[in-house]
Amino acid sequence: MLGGEQKDNIKEADCSSKKLKWVLKALCLGQLLAFCNAISGVLNQIITSETTKSLPACQTALNYIFICLTYGIYQFKQNGLSLHFSRTGVKSFANAIIDVEAWYWIYKAYNLTSLTSVQSLDCLSIPVVILISRFLLHKSYNWYQYGAVLLSILGVMLIVYSDYDPKDSSNVQGDIMCALGALLFGVSTVCQEWILEDVGIYEYMGTVCWYAILLSGVKVAVLEGDILVKNVARHPKILLWMLALGASQFVFYSAMPTMLLKFGSGAATINILAADVYAAVAGVMLFNLSYDAFYITGMAVTCIGILIYTLKGEGKEEDTEINDGSSDSLMKYSEKGLEEVSGPIDLDVRYLESEVLS
């Protein structure tokens, strides 16, 4: 028989082990998002350098095309049009508008400011995420997390300062566009987490992509149709770079729902700040950039802030499974007597029964 002290020690060790696993998972998934975001930034910089005019709407649309060809078609085959749009129609449509506009302004900023500024100004999405999630999702944050956010933003501001050129007025315009995009991205991220509380990942992704491709397709046709044809005719490689951009964003979008459901929108946005580090490495290797002490200090401070936020954060239970909306997930849900085994998601009982019987 184990004594009370031994049981407490075992319980404490088990909790520490679970906490370590949670931190490692949060960091790994968060850094995958940051890495994909950095790749997208580098590809945007390459596309911008080879085109005469910007193509932000085209670059935005490619990501949604990849999502439609995977999640969209899968969800359409599974559920058809009725359930496809009825369960999350209004919320998904609204979030699609916000998401399309967010990436449009971020991509457009690459023509007027540097890769460093665009990646760094993403930090503006964090205060928006914290503020909206407190009211919309009823989330609470501890003082360590608030301090970590401020520390990360301080690090990013040092990075922006090192890249600031007062003689170049176009930088200011680009920074304003990027700031607008970052704020909209913060709103979109919280809204996505909010919608995912009611539906599975496949259902959300398979619904929002159709709205987004429609909206971005209209923007391409109206604003960039002729420009795209001329640029591709002059520089055929642009098409390959844009396809690579769409693929990197597809991975980003595929990983984001799991990050939101497991660790929350705050952890997702603060981890994305690490894209500055990957962008800096790419800048040295691909664009022969050099960085001063402010930039290096800013990167170090930002990384420390991300680590503190993750260590002091609180995650969901380790055995909580993510409801992706697939038939396997629904079958497991039904076999457990319709208990909540796939996350905090309320599913229509009649829909579940029809899925299981079919």
Side-chain angles (χ1 to χ4, degrees), residues 249-326:
Q249 282 296 90
F250 172 74
V251 176
F252 179 91
Y253 268 75
S254 296
M256 179 63 87
T258 302
M259 183 71 184
L260 293 176
L261 287 174
K262 279 285 188 181
F263 309 107
S265 49
T269 49
I270 197 170
N271 269 276
I272 291 173
L273 294 183
D276 294 332
V277 179
Y278 302 122
V281 175
V284 172
M285 298 178 65
L286 299 177
F287 306 112
N288 297 318
L289 300 179
S290 58
Y291 302 103
D292 57 17
F294 283 106
Y295 192 97
I296 296 172
T297 304
M299 284 197 301
V301 172
T302 301
C303 291
I304 292 171
I306 293 171
L307 187 60
I308 292 174
Y309 186 98
T310 307
L311 288 172
K312 295 300 180 179
E314 295 181 359
K316 298 175 182 177
E317 294 180 6
E318 288 298 313
D319 56 353
T320 298
E321 296 185 32
I322 296 297
N323 177 18
D324 56 12
S326 63

Side-chain angles (χ1 to χ4, degrees), residues 48 51-57 59 104 107-108 111 224 227 231:
T48 300
T51 55
T52 54
K53 292 186 178 180
S54 62
L55 298 166
Q59 293 163 238
Y104 175 83
Y107 287 158
K108 193 172 180 65
N111 283 272
E224 300 175 6
I227 300 174
N231 275 292

Side-chain angles (χ1 to χ4, degrees), residues 63-74 209-210 213:
N63 166 51
Y64 301 119
I65 291 174
F66 278 98
I67 298 175
C68 283
L69 291 174
T70 51
Y71 294 95
I73 292 177
Y74 173 81
C209 66
W210 295 108
I213 195 63

Side-chain angles (χ1 to χ4, degrees), residues 147-158:
V149 168
L150 292 176
L151 192 63
S152 296
I153 292 176
L154 174 62
V156 170
M157 290 300 102
L158 288 173

Side-chain angles (χ1 to χ4, degrees), residues 12-323:
E12 184 177 348
D14 184 55
C15 290
S16 299
S17 177
K18 287 184 176 181
K19 179 66 175 180
L20 179 60
K21 289 180 181 178
W22 185 88
V23 169
L24 291 176
K25 287 180 181 178
L27 287 174
C28 289
L29 193 54
Q31 292 314 296
L32 173 62
L33 294 175
F35 185 68
C36 290
N37 197 41
I39 291 176
S40 298
V42 172
L43 291 171
N44 267 294
Q45 193 73 16
I46 294 172
I47 293 170
T48 300
S49 65
E50 295 191 4
T51 55
T52 54
K53 292 186 178 180
S54 62
L55 298 166
C58 294
Q59 293 163 238
T60 304
L62 277 170
N63 166 51
Y64 301 119
I65 291 174
F66 278 98
I67 298 175
C68 283
L69 291 174
T70 51
Y71 294 95
I73 292 177
Y74 173 81
Q75 192 64 18
F76 180 77
K77 288 182 177 179
Q78 290 289 107
N79 304 314
L81 281 175
S82 57
L83 179 68
H84 195 72
F85 294 104
S86 63
R87 286 162 60 82
T88 62
V90 176
K91 291 190 287 187
S92 294
F93 180 70
N95 201 39
I97 295 175
I98 299 171
D99 196 63
V100 168
E101 289 301 315
W103 288 108
Y104 175 83
W105 289 111
I106 289 173
Y107 287 158
K108 193 172 180 65
Y110 279 94
N111 283 272
L112 299 173
T113 190
S114 66
L115 170 64
T116 302
S117 291
V118 174
Q119 295 287 343
S120 301
L121 286 168
D122 286 345
C123 72
L124 294 177
S125 62
I126 297 178
V128 175
V129 166
I130 290 177
L131 180 64
I132 297 178
S133 64
R134 283 187 63 88
F135 292 98
L136 189 63
L137 304 174
H138 308 291
K139 290 201 169 185
S140 60
Y141 300 90
N142 58 52
W143 289 108
Y144 288 104
Q145 290 175 304
Y146 285 122
V149 168
L150 292 176
L151 192 63
S152 296
I153 292 176
L154 174 62
V156 170
M157 290 300 102
L158 288 173
I159 294 173
V160 172
Y161 177 77
S162 73
D163 189 59
Y164 177 65
D165 184 3
K167 298 179 182 179
D168 191 351
S169 60
S170 64
N171 274 357
V172 178
Q173 298 175 18
D175 289 348
I176 292 173
M177 290 180 182
C178 185
L180 174 61
L183 295 175
L184 290 172
F185 176 75
V187 176
S188 173
T189 302
V190 178
C191 290
Q192 182 178 344
E193 184 179 359
W194 178 47
I195 297 171
L196 285 169
E197 290 183 347
D198 297 323
V199 299
I201 294 174
Y202 285 109
E203 184 174 340
Y204 169 76
M205 296 285 284
T207 301
V208 76
C209 66
W210 295 108
Y211 295 126
I213 195 63
L214 176 64
L215 294 167
S216 56
V218 170
K219 296 192 79 166
V220 170
V222 174
L223 301 175
E224 300 175 6
D226 295 335
I227 300 174
L228 175 63
V229 173
K230 291 178 181 178
N231 275 292
V232 171
R234 293 177 183 176
H235 309 283
K237 286 185 178 180
I238 291 176
L239 193 57
L240 294 176
W241 293 124
M242 292 181 72
L243 288 173
L245 172 63
S248 68
Q249 282 296 90
F250 172 74
V251 176
F252 179 91
Y253 268 75
S254 296
M256 179 63 87
T258 302
M259 183 71 184
L260 293 176
L261 287 174
K262 279 285 188 181
F263 309 107
S265 49
T269 49
I270 197 170
N271 269 276
I272 291 173
L273 294 183
D276 294 332
V277 179
Y278 302 122
V281 175
V284 172
M285 298 178 65
L286 299 177
F287 306 112
N288 297 318
L289 300 179
S290 58
Y291 302 103
D292 57 17
F294 283 106
Y295 192 97
I296 296 172
T297 304
M299 284 197 301
V301 172
T302 301
C303 291
I304 292 171
I306 293 171
L307 187 60
I308 292 174
Y309 186 98
T310 307
L311 288 172
K312 295 300 180 179
E314 295 181 359
K316 298 175 182 177
E317 294 180 6
E318 288 298 313
D319 56 353
T320 298
E321 296 185 32
I322 296 297
N323 177 18

